[in-house]
Amino acid sequence: MSADAFLELDGVDAYYGQSHILWDVSMEVREGEICALLGRNGAGKTTTLRSIAGARPPDVRSGTVRFKGDDITDESTENISARGVSLVPEERRIFPNLTVEENIHLSGVSRNWSNRVGRALSFAEGGLSNEEVYAQFPRLDDRRTQQAGTLSGGEQQMLAIARALKQGGDIMMLDEPYEGLAPQIIQSVEDAIRRISENGMTILLVEQNAVAAMKIADRAYVLDQGEVVFDGTAEALREDEATREKYLGV
Ligand code: ATP
């Protein structure tokens, strides 16, 4: 494991049944950074997140996933989540018929782990209090009594992130948080991700919108047909026109 790696994939091969999807994927996310995982539709980004989070399928048939040096490849999603790895899935998973307040309340702290974001905001353990969550998301504060299903797409995304933040954790993996959002709304979700990062949360940001992701990422990986085809700083990727055109279409 490299000295900097916080979350590390080492030679991961993942399958859905007989379909071999991830091919020898190695990557690392360093503590405190925003790391982007980019690639076209179907490149294997969600499969990578599911492989890390212990969600099955896919089956990880070879290779290792390590978090803070521990091998978590074969652990359950519950254990991995309790270690402080949180996943905000693409479908956002909020309760549309409940209010914003009820949604946040229901993601109450059920675990007991030391938490960097919590510590930064002077909470020794667990996630944030409701009020701290609202302080991070003023738009949600204004809409506490509104039914979540009636929020805009951007507000629903913020609510999904707020719920993950309330639960705590050391690394947040976001699956396509900008999907379906208008450019000015993307900006406000971007701001929210930046704020969370500044408070000490490590971020793995999966996006098809490479331009937006490169704006806030420190480093990036590009996947194509389940293989890592680029690995470097976001700045290097911005300057690598050939890779951007070939694999990201931008
Ligand atoms: P997207 O932007 O569409 O989410 P992605 O990069 O996240 O793309 P994945 O969802 O990881 O891509 O999909 C990678 C490949 O795995 C695709 O070819 C997809 O069809 C296939 N795949 C995804 N989920 C399953 C599944 N449950 N069973 C079989 N094949 C699947």
Side-chain angles (χ1 to χ4, degrees):
M1 165 172 160
S2 100
D4 290 334
F6 190 55
L7 174 71
E8 184 180 38
L9 279 76
D10 187 7
V12 167
D13 285 87
Y15 294 73
Y16 292 109
Q18 296 306 308
S19 308
H20 191 170
I21 305 294
L22 297 184
W23 298 75
D24 194 25
V25 168
S26 293
M27 58 182 283
E28 63 179 45
V29 183
R30 300 172 187 167
E31 187 167 14
E33 76 174 352
I34 300 181
C35 180
L37 178 59
L38 309 173
R40 293 184 196 266
N41 202 347
K45 304 180 298 297
T46 300
T47 304
T48 304
L49 292 191
R50 292 179 62 85
S51 299
I52 296 167
R56 298 292 178 261
D59 301 324
V60 174
R61 298 211 187 132
S62 59
T64 311
V65 182
R66 288 189 204 91
F67 182 57
K68 296 183 188 169
D70 294 336
D71 184 344
I72 59 167
T73 321
D74 297 320
E75 279 191 10
S76 65
T77 45
E78 292 74 21
N79 278 357
I80 292 170
S81 154
R83 282 177 181 272
V85 178
S86 75
L87 171 63
V88 180
E90 205 170 347
E91 65 276 13
R92 291 170 192 162
R93 278 196 213 140
I94 56 167
F95 300 103
N97 298 324
L98 300 184
T99 65
V100 166
E101 206 153 43
E102 289 163 339
N103 265 279
I104 288 179
H105 184 69
L106 280 174
S107 58
V109 184
S110 55
R111 302 174 194 111
N112 200 26
W113 58 64
S114 75
N115 172 285
R116 284 180 53 85
V117 174
R119 279 201 299 276
L121 293 168
S122 68
F123 266 65
E125 285 189 329
L128 305 188
S129 70
N130 289 355
E131 294 313 312
E132 283 174 318
V133 170
Y134 289 122
Q136 301 276 316
F137 297 95
R139 287 175 80 98
L140 297 180
D141 197 8
D142 295 340
R143 290 166 177 72
R144 285 185 192 218
T145 57
Q146 196 172 319
Q147 265 198 340
T150 68
L151 296 172
S152 72
E155 289 159 358
Q156 290 189 18
Q157 184 61 55
M158 284 188 219
L159 180 56
I161 297 173
R163 296 189 70 218
L165 203 56
K166 170 104 192 278
Q167 288 183 356
D170 291 322
I171 179 165
M172 193 183 288
M173 306 193 292
L174 296 157
D175 197 355
E176 305 211 20
Y178 304 152
E179 196 187 13
L181 304 183
Q184 67 274 27
I185 310 298
I186 288 180
Q187 173 75 53
S188 58
V189 175
E190 245 172 52
D191 291 344
I193 296 171
R194 245 197 222 107
R195 271 200 309 276
I196 293 167
S197 161
E198 281 161 9
N199 278 317
M201 182 72 88
T202 303
I203 308 274
L204 177 55
L205 172 63
V206 159
E207 257 303 326
Q208 266 197 59
N209 184 340
V211 173
M214 280 188 289
K215 266 170 64 188
I216 62 167
D218 300 299
R219 289 186 318 113
Y221 288 85
V222 177
L223 278 181
D224 183 58
Q225 296 182 44
E227 288 186 80
V228 174
V229 292
F230 174 92
D231 151 17
T233 63
E235 197 184 346
L237 182 57
R238 276 193 293 270
E239 285 165 7
D240 186 345
E241 211 171 305
T243 295
R244 284 193 286 106
E245 277 182 7
K246 184 165 180 197
Y247 299 113
L248 303 169
V250 291

